[in-house]
């Protein structure tokens, strides 16, 4: 349409949905990462060891992942907007009660169980579901952008929350998070939509208006049936295995323990949180770029380079912590670009192997393995730090398993990387 000789381009509502989903994933992931800055204050207030708090984080990470395949079914059955609003309300309620806790079992209940399940509804599977509903073209780019938001949120809020924690106490940082969730819930309720059909539009890249198919499966059996079907595929196990090592080397280890490791080396908490925030900024660039690359190149070789370079950076980390700030900054930038760049090519391979209809639930199961790896890393690194007084061995071990993941990635069948599926 032209007005006064100037062409007017109508914005597709899918990009508004992407913006809302981006903000939701950003906030949910940022809250999921809060225990890393609360580890020291909670230990001082309640006398809990790092192993105790790491156990809570470990359970939360595991349940966050376990929700993936079931959240895919719930999102299809009840609608994206309704489930997002319900999850945000539960998350806000859990955080509101946290400052009143007095014993470790309450921390396990609120942050291990409730927060883990609530944030699990707003994990990577949400981004994949939104992408499949709203986009036919630019899928790789959108998945990369939404994946980056989840990882970036995990890191971006930490400097602010760390500053609030140091200045006003950990309870104030929790209440700040509750206020952010309250504002976000209003925006989701007002502007989020489940499907292009709801606004009378076709998916981005299509011309034909498509009515969404109703979810007909069993909410609990459908994900299990998808797992049973996928378990017969060698590609599934290679994707699940590489993603296990991905979780082991990212949110489970660095996301949970980098700040305490920096404190061990005399780096202030706010400065350490700033390093994680900087990683988040570079991750936003790296993972979005990864989505663009996955639309154009063999995803198996993208994964090979991502895991290989991440492994080398983690092996370098113990040296960087003992060296000058320059070496630590080099690690921060290099690792940040690769933080979770593995997701877009993994999503693409899963979609090509299993099809659009099943890819959400099956990728959810792949994410379960990611979070199992993260859970093991979060707990084992805390225990090893209590035993050995250092994080050197956990960091180097994570680097070595990333090199193994790089080799596994190129073992994925070439047929899987060439089937028609998630295309940009």
């Amino acid at each position: 349409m032209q007005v006064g000789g100037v062409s007017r381009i109508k914005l597709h509502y899918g990009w508004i949905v992407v913006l809302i989903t981006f903000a939701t994933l950003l906030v949910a992931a940022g809250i999921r990462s809060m225990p890393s800055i609360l580890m020291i204050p909670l230990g001082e207030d309640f006398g809990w060891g790092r192993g105790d708090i790491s156990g809570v984080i470990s359970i939360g990470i595991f349940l966050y992942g376990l929700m993936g395949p079931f959240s895919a079914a719930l999102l299809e059955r009840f609608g994206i907007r309704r489930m997002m609003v319900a999850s945000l309300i539960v998350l806000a309620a859990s955080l509101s009660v946290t400052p009143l806790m007095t014993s470790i079992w309450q921390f396990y209940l609120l942050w291990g169980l409730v927060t883990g399940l609530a944030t699990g509804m707003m994990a990577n599977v949400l981004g994949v579901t939104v992408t499949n509903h709203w986009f036919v073209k630019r899928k790789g780019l959108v998945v990369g952008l939404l994946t980056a938001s989840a990882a970036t949120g995990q890191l971006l809020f930490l400097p602010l929350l760390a500053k609030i924690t140091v200045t006003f106490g950990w309870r104030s940082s929790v209440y700040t998070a509750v206020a952010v969730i309250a504002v976000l819930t209003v925006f989701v309720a007002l502007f989020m939509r489940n499907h292009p059909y709801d606004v009378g539009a076709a998916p981005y890249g299509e011309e034909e208006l498509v009515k969404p198919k109703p979810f007909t499966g069993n909410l609990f059996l459908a994900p299990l049936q998808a797992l049973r079907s996928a378990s017969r595929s060698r590609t599934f196990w290679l994707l699940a295995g590489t993603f296990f090592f991905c979780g082991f080397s990212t949110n489970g280890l660095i996301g949970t323990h980098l700040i305490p490791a920096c404190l061990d080396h005399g780096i202030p908490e706010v400065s350490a949180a700033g390093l994680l925030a900087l990683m988040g900024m570079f991750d936003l660039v790296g993972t979005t770029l990864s989505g663009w690359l996955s639309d154009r190149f063999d995803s198996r070789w993208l994964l090979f380079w991502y895991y290989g370079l991440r492994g080398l950076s983690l092996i370098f980390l113990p040296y960087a912590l003992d060296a000058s700030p320059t070496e630590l900054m080099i690690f921060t930038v290099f690792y940040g670009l690769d933080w979770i760049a593995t997701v877009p090519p993994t999503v693409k391979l899963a979609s090509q192997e299993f099809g659009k209809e099943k890819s959400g639930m099956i990728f959810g199961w792949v994410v379960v393995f990611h979070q199992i790896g993260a859970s093991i890393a979060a707990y084992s690194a805390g225990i090893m730090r209590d035993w050995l007084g250092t994080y050197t061995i956990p960091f180097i071990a994570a680097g070595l398993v990333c090199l193994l993941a790089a080799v596994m990635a190129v073992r994925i069948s070439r047929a899987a990387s060439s089937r028609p599926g998630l295309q940009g």
Side-chain angles (χ1 to χ4, degrees), residues 71-85:
S71 70
L74 289 166
L75 289 166
E76 296 291 352
R77 172 63 179 83
F78 296 107
I80 296 172
R81 178 171 63 173
R82 186 181 300 176
M83 292 309 304
M84 287 174 67
V85 169

Side-chain angles (χ1 to χ4, degrees), residues 42 46 48 97-103 106-107 110 170-171:
L42 289 176
F46 298 105
W48 301 336
V97 178
T98 297
L100 305 177
M101 66 183 181
T102 57
S103 61
Q106 294 166 345
F107 193 37
L110 294 172
W170 65 268
R171 291 175 176 84

Side-chain angles (χ1 to χ4, degrees), residues 53-221:
I53 299 173
S54 295
V56 175
I57 298 172
S58 176
I59 290 174
I61 288 173
F62 173 70
L63 292 176
Y64 173 88
L66 185 62
M67 274 299 294
F70 298 97
S71 70
L74 289 166
L75 289 166
E76 296 291 352
R77 172 63 179 83
F78 296 107
I80 296 172
R81 178 171 63 173
R82 186 181 300 176
M83 292 309 304
M84 287 174 67
V85 169
S87 300
L88 288 168
I89 291 173
V90 170
L91 185 59
S94 174
L95 265 65
S96 298
V97 178
T98 297
L100 305 177
M101 66 183 181
T102 57
S103 61
I104 190 68
W105 72 264
Q106 294 166 345
F107 193 37
Y108 269 94
L109 175 64
L110 294 172
W111 282 83
L113 179 62
V114 179
T115 302
L117 293 175
T119 54
M121 278 300 304
M122 297 175 287
N124 288 326
V125 172
L126 172 61
V128 173
T129 303
V130 167
T131 303
N132 283 337
H133 280 201
W134 285 87
F135 290 84
V136 173
K137 293 184 177 180
R138 303 290 183 264
K139 278 191 171 184
L141 177 64
V142 174
V143 168
L145 185 64
L146 294 181
T147 299
S149 73
T152 302
Q154 187 172 345
L155 310 175
L156 196 58
F157 284 101
L158 291 180
L160 172 62
L161 295 173
K163 180 65 175 178
I164 293 172
T165 300
V166 170
T167 306
F168 302 105
W170 65 268
R171 291 175 176 84
S172 296
S173 66
V174 171
Y175 286 132
T176 300
V178 173
V180 172
I181 294 172
V183 173
L184 179 62
T185 303
V186 173
F187 275 90
V188 171
L190 291 176
F191 301 110
M192 189 66 187
R193 296 294 182 269
N194 299 320
H195 194 275
Y197 189 81
D198 297 343
V199 294
Y204 184 86
E206 280 280 358
E207 298 295 333
E208 183 180 354
L209 190 66
V210 179
K211 188 173 183 178
K213 296 179 181 178
F215 180 81
T216 57
N218 184 287
L219 286 174
F220 299 101
L221 288 181

Side-chain angles (χ1 to χ4, degrees), residues 372-393:
I372 291 173
S375 177
I376 292 173
Y379 184 64
S380 62
I383 292 294
M384 293 184 74
R385 166 57 180 78
D386 285 344
W387 287 350
L388 305 175
T390 178
Y391 285 106
T392 297
I393 291 179

